[in-house]
Amino acid sequence: MKYAKKDAKAYARAHMKGIWAAALTPFTESGAIDEDGFRQNIRHWLGDLGIDGLFIAGKQGEFFSMSLEERKRNFELAVEASAGRGQTIMSCSDQNMDVVIDLAKHAQKVGADYIVVHAPILHFFKAQDETLYEYYRTIAEKVDIGIALWSHPDSGYLMSPQLCNRLADIENVVAIKYSVPRPMYAELTRLAGDRILVSTASEEEWLDNILELGWQLYLCSSPPYLIQTANDRRMREYTDLAFRGEAEKARAIRDSLNPVREALRGTRPSEKPHAHQKYWQDLLGQVGGRVRAPMLELTEAEKAATRAAFDACGLGKAPLAKAG
């Protein structure tokens, strides 16, 4: 590891910055992980697109369809491909705490920068806070690596800002991906922003969160590599402008991406997010690949609609915005 456990918060504050993307995992026609394609994507994302870090083997990465060994292999591939280019955060989420800890120890061993752990599904609906506190405290006790919390409606509940504020006192809890309404994450920023990095997955809210909440971290979803190309890095451009305090220029570039956002949103079948994003990757020249069961593939009609929207949205056709 690049830091001691006691220094995890300070290290994250100094290094966990900018745009982080949640990696989709490309699978071959036979269903195997496309290792070469995954490496190729990572090099493109970190090098050509200027993405700062990658969230590996999360929900976007279809971790739920992978064996434990495949998840560990994903960690290894990502560390190898990102070396010298960017940072990594490994999703160790699982319903079984022993699996979470096993994955966390492997991430630490192979050189990941951080891990992220989703709040577990709990099969009761009252007095959850103490259970959740013990859950994260126990995991943190077993490893030295910096931990990001993750609260999302998929768990069946949302962790309150007050609970997250308690968890922020744990020595190696360094960040949170807080997929909640804006008033909740704004409150947590006020309560615990001095101890953990607060972020959310909404790219459309990212600029306002830099300017209004002082955020330094977008953690994270797939837009950083779906709405940018090597010659059209508008998310990178508006982010850097915002960090420099050039709000008006940043907003103009952010808003110029609305046709791209609408093309993505308007053609994505609600039950096929992974297949749709992978097909969009193919259109961008990245390695999309197949999805694994039980995820559904796009029909030919859905592909045609997506391709038409992609061709019309202007992605890659706009000149690279000048930050100066």
Side-chain angles (χ1 to χ4, degrees):
M1 271 179 45
K2 301 170 186 174
Y3 52 89
K5 185 172 186 174
K6 66 180 178 62
D7 298 321
K9 289 183 188 295
Y11 184 87
R13 183 76 54 179
H15 298 278
M16 201 176 192
K17 297 179 177 181
I19 299 169
W20 290 52
L24 290 155
T25 306
F27 298 110
T28 66
E29 289 294 324
S30 67
I33 295 172
D34 184 343
E35 295 194 359
D36 288 339
F38 192 47
R39 292 187 189 96
Q40 179 180 319
N41 283 345
I42 289 174
R43 289 192 292 268
H44 171 62
W45 297 338
L46 298 177
D48 299 332
L49 303 185
I51 294 170
D52 297 293
L54 297 174
F55 186 119
I56 301 297
K59 288 190 299 181
Q60 297 281 13
E62 297 174 71
F63 82 91
F64 45 80
S65 72
M66 294 186 208
S67 68
L68 182 59
E69 290 309 310
E70 285 177 320
R71 295 175 71 180
K72 290 181 178 180
R73 179 60 180 157
N74 251 31
F75 294 0
E76 295 163 5
L77 290 168
V79 169
E80 170 198 319
S82 63
R85 297 182 175 91
Q87 299 177 76
T88 57
I89 184 167
M90 308 306 188
S91 177
C92 299
S93 303
D94 199 88
Q95 279 301 102
N96 184 302
M97 185 184 283
D98 287 343
V99 172
V100 173
I101 294 169
D102 186 14
L103 286 167
K105 289 181 176 178
H106 188 73
Q108 182 173 300
K109 177 183 177 182
V110 300
D113 293 284
Y114 315 96
I115 63 167
V116 59
V117 181
H118 198 296
I121 296 170
L122 298 177
H123 299 283
F124 53 88
F125 301 98
K126 296 180 181 178
Q128 299 165 331
D129 282 12
E130 289 306 313
T131 300
L132 290 165
Y133 184 85
E134 283 302 305
Y135 178 79
Y136 281 111
R137 185 197 64 78
T138 300
I139 295 166
E141 190 178 68
K142 301 289 185 181
V143 294
D144 296 334
I145 196 168
I147 300 170
L149 315 173
W150 186 9
S151 183
H152 190 284
D154 286 2
S155 297
Y157 60 89
L158 296 175
M159 297 198 299
S160 70
Q162 291 71 31
L163 172 61
C164 296
N165 184 42
R166 285 183 64 199
L167 291 166
D169 287 333
I170 295 174
E171 185 176 33
N172 53 327
V173 168
V174 301
I176 181 169
K177 182 178 179 181
Y178 206 25
S179 303
V180 299
R182 197 166 195 262
M184 290 180 68
Y185 66 65
E187 175 67 3
L188 180 58
T189 303
R190 184 186 68 80
L191 291 172
D194 60 330
R195 285 164 290 137
I196 60 171
L197 301 171
V198 182
S199 188
T200 197
S202 171
E203 180 271 326
E204 293 182 62
E205 297 172 62
W206 167 228
L207 175 59
D208 291 335
N209 292 333
I210 298 171
L211 298 174
E212 297 172 14
L213 300 178
W215 283 11
Q216 68 177 55
L217 174 67
Y218 174 75
L219 186 73
C220 59
S221 191
S222 52
Y225 55 83
L226 296 182
I227 66 172
Q228 298 194 105
T229 72
N231 294 313
D232 185 355
R233 299 181 5 165
R234 278 177 279 174
M235 185 177 180
R236 178 78 265 167
E237 290 291 315
Y238 83 67
T239 295
D240 291 341
L241 286 164
F243 284 156
R244 295 204 300 268
E246 299 183 54
E248 187 175 347
K249 290 181 181 178
R251 287 194 179 98
I253 294 175
R254 187 267 313 269
D255 293 347
S256 76
L257 281 163
N258 284 338
V260 182
R261 297 185 187 100
E262 182 53 38
L264 269 169
R265 184 168 48 235
T267 57
R268 182 179 297 162
S270 58
E271 75 282 14
K272 300 178 181 180
H274 295 78
H276 181 266
Q277 291 176 104
K278 287 183 174 186
Y279 183 62
W280 193 274
Q281 282 186 281
D282 289 339
L283 295 173
L284 285 166
Q286 300 175 27
V287 182
R290 302 295 301 272
V291 295
R292 274 187 175 175
M295 306 308 293
L296 303 175
E297 295 284 2
L298 296 184
T299 65
E300 289 305 313
E302 289 165 341
K303 288 181 179 179
T306 301
R307 186 167 56 250
F310 175 86
D311 290 341
C313 75
L315 181 60
K317 298 174 185 176
L320 186 63
K322 300 299 182 184

